[in-house]
Amino acid sequence: MRKRQRLTITGVVQGVGFRPFVFGLAQEAGLVGFVGNDDSGVFVEVEGNTAVLTTFRDRLISEAPPLAHIETIQVADLPLGGESAFRIVPSERHTAVHTLISPDTVLCADCLRELRDPHDRRYRYPFINCTHCGPRFTIIQDVPYDRPQTTMSQFPLCAACQAEYDDPTNRRFHAQPNACPVCGPQVWLANVQGEVLEVADVWAEVAARLGQGQIVAVKGIGGFHLACLAVMDTAVVTLRQRKNRPDKPLALMVRDLPTVRHIAQLAPDEEALLTSSAHPILLLPKKENAPLSPAIAPGQTVLGVMLPYTPLHHLLLDAVQAAGHLPALVMTSGNRANEPIIIHNEAAQSELAPLVDLFLLHNRDIYQPCDDSVVRSWRGETLPIRRSRGYAPFPVPLPIFGENHPPVLAVGGELKATFCLTTGRHALMSQHLGDMENVETLALLAQTVAHFEHLFRTTAVVLAADKHPAYLSRRWAEQQATARNVPLVLVQHHHAHVASLMAEHGLDGTEPVLGFCFDGTGYGDDGTVWGGEVLLADYRGYERLSHLATIPLVGGDTAVRRPYRIALAHLQAAGLDWDKRYPAVQAASELERQIVRQQINSVPTSSMGRLFDAVAALIGVRQTVTFEGQAAMELEGMAAGYLGQEGYAFGIDEQAQTFSAAPVLAQLTADLQKNTPLPIMAGKFHTAVGNLVCDLAQKLRRQTGVKRVALTGGVWQNVTLLDDAVNRLTAVGFDVLTHRLVPPNDGGLALGQAVIAMNNEQ
Ligand code: ZN
Ligand code: ZN
Ligand code: FE
């Protein structure tokens, strides 16, 4: 029997070669009809024999293109149309529906082969792409995803490119960013005065300059990077000085896997993550004698490594290798301190000129900034540290909420900010926006929210923000709520962390979890600084079951930058002497000791992040920090491989309402007086925390009957601790939730705020 059906397909189905794929399938099956894009995805009308139609539908799902992600297929029967062929029809625009947008995607193997083939017309062309690879999110201005609605609109296709674009059998059929050296974007070099440099070979010239120790601003896919040779200490030190970034680790872009293995240890799981379609920065254990500048990640045992992900980056790293250097570049975000990554040539030339010696520019405009993503690999899974390029704006599914749920906009916290816009079943997480501490980052938040709301045809009618009264993100949300005349839900910081972890696991929120939220900073309901919290939480609310006994955080942010002060406060709270032999005591001036002793200008804190800092200071790992988490990361690096022996022990009170670090500090200072090696003390401290989590969880399980534990908050970026805690908890029968889709740090906060607001809006 002959039938006609309309298929409506949603998901990531635009910009991924879906229409040509449908076209090919339909032609092969001898079906007639058409396929096209609209704002909700792809529509298909097919007509033919019933059995053939069924096979066609099955193959749509089972053979979909690599970048496609089908969410739903709706099927409706139609009267016969009677055409004689199958064709691709122009895009249609509707209203009030949304489609998903593909993240930018790593150069595919076919395009890489052509890039290196001297006989190919795109040999060494830095903007080669096809329907399976290339820029998407960063160049899309509007949907449907068609060339005129991208920053490629200014490059009319030449005859050869147009022929590929129109040929259903070609890999570039309807590849919107399709381009070649004749018709597409170009690269050029400019000096710091902005003058274009005439050179025979751009790539050889850049490599030569890098070889002289120069720093090059490189325009990529989601913004500028600052690049220099990773082997060259003088260049790396200069880059740090110019960027005023003393210690924070610098990411590396490394040409290929053999070079990665030359500088870092790479397990099979990690190799899979490094080469995954997102090509994130992956934290890997540094090899002892890696021939790298020690200034790349001072004090750290891990390196942040990524592979080249655009043709431009491949050409750059190829040239570095051809010039005889180890093909590994420092590739750090091109921005001024604490400001968003720069995306425009003009801004780069005015703002980055003091930082660099040369500009590698191009004229494919970047519409959305998108920093590199950072991940760790843990037990074969992704532990996101920063979810951005390659992941955003792919949503976190929210299976628990209906399509018609009112859209919520949650604006995150302060550090590592992202926002979350919900569209019923989806939580659209923005790319990494930066630390929400200045007007530039705040402006980026406002712009990106406007872009998302337009792109996804969704206007939030409920807003959510952190309870901290001084956060700029909260103030912005308050203004928006007033301007839009919609409710604003204020969410406690650690409640949001726990909810974000529940949401990424698709929990419906009917059963509470024991949320162990170990974090740096978060505004507590009592006005103090929380961060060592055990919450009995669901989406509606929470109960603070237990927390780390507080110490005075003397001088607020100053104490955060000087962990030795926190060490002194912890010693004092534990009734222990400030022995002059302790490194943390030596680091403090007499005046500072007085300030801590008298608890001047202090606020109580239960922060576990600060306890890690204090322990690092106390045993002499580090006394001051220049970026968040620095001391704790070094402590973790030291402890790795030293867990499992006898640990220190926290004190847990009778009702398990507080736990105290005082006994830990007493045992630790005793070890310190015996000149115990640092790694042993670091290991014993980690063991103590793992033990604490397990003991406390069991006590609270007896009180509450809850058997599911959620490990969240910035402290859980520590995989050494995570591994130990999960082992202990699962051994005693807990169901343990850990992060895989959004970061445990504040980069994941907005998701939790959103689902809490979805359950609590007025
Ligand atoms: Zn390709
Ligand atoms: Zn062309
Ligand atoms: Fe936090």
Side-chain angles (χ1 to χ4, degrees), residues 266-275 282 284 377-381:
L266 186 67
D269 286 346
E270 292 167 330
E271 181 176 324
L273 193 45
L274 199 62
T275 57
L282 175 63
L284 292 172
S377 170
W378 181 67
R379 295 191 180 176
E381 300 238 41

Side-chain angles (χ1 to χ4, degrees), residues 166-179:
D166 292 334
D167 175 4
T169 64
N170 194 285
R171 202 171 90 244
R172 298 193 168 89
F173 180 58
H174 282 249
Q176 306 304 341
N178 190 23

Side-chain angles (χ1 to χ4, degrees), residues 595-670:
I595 292 172
V596 176
R597 197 172 291 123
Q598 296 167 13
Q599 305 184 7
I600 294 166
N601 185 22
S602 77
V603 47
T605 184
S606 55
S607 167
M608 278 300 274
R610 295 294 88 80
L611 178 61
F612 273 76
D613 287 351
V615 168
L618 201 54
I619 67 175
V621 173
R622 166 165 293 283
Q623 302 306 326
T624 61
V625 299
T626 61
F627 65 93
E628 204 219 3
Q630 183 178 9
M633 283 166 69
E634 290 182 21
L635 191 64
E636 177 192 352
M638 204 150 275
Y642 290 89
L643 274 70
Q645 88 284 32
E646 197 189 337
Y648 305 133
F650 282 80
I652 302 176
D653 77 2
E654 200 57 33
Q655 269 79 45
Q657 286 166 336
T658 59
F659 46 96
S660 166
V664 169
L665 290 160
Q667 297 151 36
L668 190 146
T669 47

Side-chain angles (χ1 to χ4, degrees), residues 169-237:
T169 64
N170 194 285
R171 202 171 90 244
R172 298 193 168 89
F173 180 58
H174 282 249
Q176 306 304 341
N178 190 23
C180 78
V182 176
C183 66
Q186 303 293 337
V187 294
W188 68 92
L189 295 179
N191 63 19
V192 288
Q193 284 80 37
E195 295 154 354
V196 176
L197 303 182
E198 298 295 340
V199 296
D201 182 333
V202 162
W203 309 105
E205 179 69 17
V206 175
R209 300 288 203 100
L210 289 165
Q212 293 160 19
Q214 294 196 359
I215 295 163
V216 184
V218 178
K219 186 181 183 183
I221 204 165
F224 277 81
H225 282 111
L226 306 180
C228 70
L229 286 188
V231 292
M232 197 174 284
D233 194 45
T234 51
V236 181
V237 169

Side-chain angles (χ1 to χ4, degrees), residues 121-122 156-162 164 178-184:
R121 70 188 189 92
R122 293 188 181 84
L157 291 162
C158 69
C161 286
Q162 185 73 50
E164 293 167 336
N178 190 23
C180 78
V182 176
C183 66

Side-chain angles (χ1 to χ4, degrees), residues 106-112 128-134 171-172:
V106 61
L107 186 72
C108 75
D110 287 335
C111 285
L112 178 59
I128 185 171
N129 66 80
C130 72
T131 51
H132 306 308
C133 72
R171 202 171 90 244
R172 298 193 168 89

